[in-house]
């Protein structure tokens, strides 16, 4: 497949709907050709709106511009932008067969029938749907439907693939396997893709970069590692995974907190708080480690055990460990924190 | 199990009685009367063999069919537009559309005469423009206009409800694949509206087949089956032929509705 993927750039694209709702503040976003950017954020933060502006289904407010590569596509309607779209609801045409759905974009492009059916067969094969071309779409499972929707979007060799929560309607197991397929597909085809989700695990696994959105703004954009280990704002720190945050006073690069003290990283000297992920903490014998406390609750999660340690009446921390030890509620323990996992918010 | 069945039968009894009293018995009587005239059973054949009755049958089917097609075209476009576009006065317009639903056929016929009758609006305007009045109220054309007037509102309302239920993502998907607005209408919107169009088209056809008041108001000699039945019945006291014609009218309409139901059924299955 020839690679027609182009980069995407949004310049100051805001969106105020007719009823006065400001769904997006003017945002800038640059996506390199072949890159997958995930838009992640809570419900109503403007992910779908951003995607629809890229697609051409919504016009940005005056002053906003949308670029595909070096071409300004702001004024082009969606049918002339050559984008592929995949929806949470699949949006397959119920009056067409599986093959009819996949070949639809080629049909409206007047690709002749023989070439069209050859291409449809190739895509069916690629999506593990061989032999299902003549089925009606209501004879497919949810996972198969979404594969058809993907094949249909890819058939027109789009410049950008836009996916709006494509896995949300599927059960957990299927979600995982289809996510792996999508990931492989995006990489082997070198697609430029924008992927909307509110599932962090999906975002981490798929995104070259993640844009965390909140209230119509991009709170932070960066690699999954950046977002996870170097959150730029309180919102990002709290939204992605579980984060322990302890307030305290800084003395010579060490933060005094409830139950003990934590060494601050070099760029965090002077901070009034420290943060660490549950898996960077470790339960040790009382009197050892950085913090002292009492086990308040233990949750066995299967792949790990999650332990809540109370440091005093107000503060507690969460520690996650893969150790096969028995932890008992009420035990006095110490918590050792991996110094490499301690971070502060940039200010 | 057995007691449950008995109870069910008891519950169904009123319906059975009503069905027998108001459908089965009159129908049986109608069939019997139809065959009781001087022609006997052949009265039923007269509908096809007698050129007068046959012409009446063909005219009735033709005008009903034409009204159905025209109504569907006009209402589908108008319904789509009304449901999809917000403009000042839209609410009032939609509310006004339901107004003619309450009119009996007589009133509809009266309105056609006011529009296209001898003293009608169209007659006056064409008289002023070309020197002669165009008058078509008292003919099949007048009947066509009357039925159209009376069918369009109900079909528009059905179409609007169906348009509201279409999944916008389907149209967006088609557009993303490069479909022009016309292609979207042809490949997504019309297939999506198909069950609603078939159902409301069938009702429109059946109503036109059986409508009497409008035709009777326009002219007593318009050659459609309900009028023919009326004439045979009251003017010639030809009960058996009136009964036979009634049954044939009923059968054709019933067959059309059954056909529409089977069509709609297969699309519903395809869309499920
Ligand atoms: N057509 C519209 N008219 C008015 N307001 C809208 C419209 N579409 C979206 N909004 C509003 O804009 C805001 C952002 O919506 P958007 O659909 O982009 O959110 P989202 O991040 O995709 O949320 P979700 O995770 O629930 O899909 C919301 O407050 C929403 O109510
Ligand atoms: Mg959304």
């Amino acid at each position: 497949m020839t690679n027609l993927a182009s980069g995407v750039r949004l310049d100051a694209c805001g969106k105020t709907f007719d009823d006065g709702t400001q769904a997006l503040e003017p945002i800038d976003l640059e996506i390199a050709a072949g890159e997958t950017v995930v838009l992640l954020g809570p419900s109503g933060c403007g992910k779908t709106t951003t995607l629809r502006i890229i697609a051409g289904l919504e016009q940005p407010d005056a002053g906003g511009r949308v670029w595909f590569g070096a071409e300004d596509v702001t004024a082009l309607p969606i049918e002339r932008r050559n984008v592929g779209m995949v929806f949470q609801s699949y949006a397959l045409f119920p009056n067409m067969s599986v093959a009819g759905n996949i070949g639809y974009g080629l049909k409206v492009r007047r690709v002749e029938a023989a070439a069209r059916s050859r291409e449809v067969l190739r895509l069916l094969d690629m999506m593990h749907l061989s032999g299902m071309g003549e089925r009606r779409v209501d004879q497919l499972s949810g996972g198969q439907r979404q594969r058809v929707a993907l094949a249909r979007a890819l058939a027109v060799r789009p410049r950008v693939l836009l996916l709006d929560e494509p896995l949300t309607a599927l059960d957990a197991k299927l979600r995982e396997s289809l996510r792996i397929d999508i990931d492989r597909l995006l990489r082997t085809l070198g697609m430029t893709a924008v992927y909307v989700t509110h599932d962090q695990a999906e975002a981490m696994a798929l995104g070259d970069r993640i844009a965390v959105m909140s209230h119509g703004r991009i709170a932070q954009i960066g690699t999954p590692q950046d977002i996870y280990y170097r959150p730029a704002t309180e919102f990002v720190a709290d939204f992605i995974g579980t984060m322990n945050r302890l307030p305290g006073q800084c003395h010579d690069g060490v933060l005094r907190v409830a139950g003990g003290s934590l060494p601050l990283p070099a760029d965090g000297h002077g901070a009034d708080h420290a943060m660490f992920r549950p898996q960077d903490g470790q339960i040790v014998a009382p009197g050892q480690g950085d913090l002292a406390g009492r086990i308040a609750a233990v949750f066995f999660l299967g792949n790990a055990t999650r332990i809540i340690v109370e440091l005093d009446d107000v503060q507690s921390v969460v520690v996650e460990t893969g150790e096969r030890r028995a932890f008992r509620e009420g035990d006095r323990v110490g918590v050792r924190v991996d110094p490499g996992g301690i971070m502060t918010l940039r200010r | 199990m057995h007691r449950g069945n008995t109870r069910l039968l008891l519950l169904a009894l009123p319906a059975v009685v009503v069905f027998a009293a108001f459908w089965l018995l009159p129908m049986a009587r109608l069939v019997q009367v139809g065959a009781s005239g001087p022609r006997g059973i052949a009265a039923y054949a007269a509908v096809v063999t007698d050129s007068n009755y046959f012409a009446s049958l063909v005219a009735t089917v033709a005008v009903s069919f034409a009204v159905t097609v025209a109504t569907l075209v006009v209402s589908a476009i108008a319904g789509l537009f009304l449901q999809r576009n917000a403009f000042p006065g839209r609410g009032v317009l939609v509310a006004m559309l339901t107004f003619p639903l309450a009119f009996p056929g007589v009133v509809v016929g009266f309105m056609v005469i006011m529009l296209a009758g001898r003293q009608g609006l169209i007659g006056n305007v064409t008289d002023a423009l070309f020197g002669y009045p165009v008058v078509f109220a008292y003919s099949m054309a007048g009947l066509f206009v009357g039925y159209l007037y009376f069918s369009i509102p109900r079909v528009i309302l059905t179409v609007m409800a169906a348009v509201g239920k279409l999944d916008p993502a389907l149209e967006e998907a088609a557009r993303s694949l490069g479909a022009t607005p016309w292609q979207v209408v042809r490949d997504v919107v019309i297939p999506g509206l198909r069950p609603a169009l078939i159902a409301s088209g069938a009702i429109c056809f059946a109503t036109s087949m059986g409508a009497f008041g409008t035709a009777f108001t326009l002219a007593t000699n318009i050659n459609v089956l309900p009028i023919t039945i009326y004439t045979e019945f009251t003017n010639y006291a030809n009960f058996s032929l009136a009964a036979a014609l009634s049954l044939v009218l009923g059968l054709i309409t019933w067959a059309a509705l059954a056909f529409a139901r089977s069509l709609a059924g297969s699309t519903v299955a395809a869309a499920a």
Side-chain angles (χ1 to χ4, degrees), chain B residues 42-83:
Chain B
Y44 290 101
V47 179
V48 187
T49 52
D50 187 312
S51 63
N52 242 339
Y53 301 138
F54 189 64
S56 167
L57 174 67
V58 170
T60 313
V61 172
V63 75
S64 302
F65 187 74
V67 166
T68 305
V69 171
T71 302
L72 286 181
V73 171
V74 172
S75 312
I77 295 169
L80 252 174
F81 179 83
L82 283 174
Q83 184 69 28

Side-chain angles (χ1 to χ4, degrees), chain A residues 172-239:
Chain A
K173 204 117 190 198
L174 210 55
R175 205 180 297 171
E176 171 90 12
S177 79
L178 196 49
R179 196 201 71 213
I180 292 169
D181 282 355
I182 292 177
D183 193 37
R184 178 182 51 82
L185 214 63
L186 295 180
R187 274 163 226 297
T188 52
L189 299 180
M191 289 295 313
T192 308
V194 183
Y195 188 107
V196 167
T197 182
H198 56 246
D199 181 325
Q200 319 162 17
E202 222 169 277
M204 295 282 167
L206 271 171
D208 292 319
R209 283 189 300 154
I210 298 174
V212 182
M213 297 185 66
S214 156
H215 292 107
R217 251 179 301 190
I218 295 181
Q220 185 177 4
I221 181 163
T223 63
Q225 290 80 2
D226 272 342
I227 300 286
Y228 196 73
Y229 287 117
R230 283 175 291 284
T233 69
E234 206 167 309
F235 171 80
V236 177
D238 288 339
F239 185 71

Side-chain angles (χ1 to χ4, degrees), chain A residues 52 57 77-79 83 85 87 89 91-96 104-105 108-109 136 138 152-153 156, chain B residues 167 169-181 183-184 186-188 191 269-272:
Chain A
R52 290 171 66 87
L57 287 168
I78 179 170
E79 52 265 36
V83 295
M85 289 204 80
F87 300 82
S89 62
L92 296 177
F93 308 127
N95 51 315
M96 299 178 202
Y104 184 73
V108 298
R109 281 170 173 69
R136 291 205 320 250
D138 61 347
R152 178 178 71 177
V156 298
Chain B
D167 179 4
L170 285 181
E171 288 164 59
E172 292 172 359
R175 291 180 64 197
S176 76
L177 295 165
T180 61
Q183 286 168 327
V184 172
R186 188 194 62 197
D187 299 332
V188 178

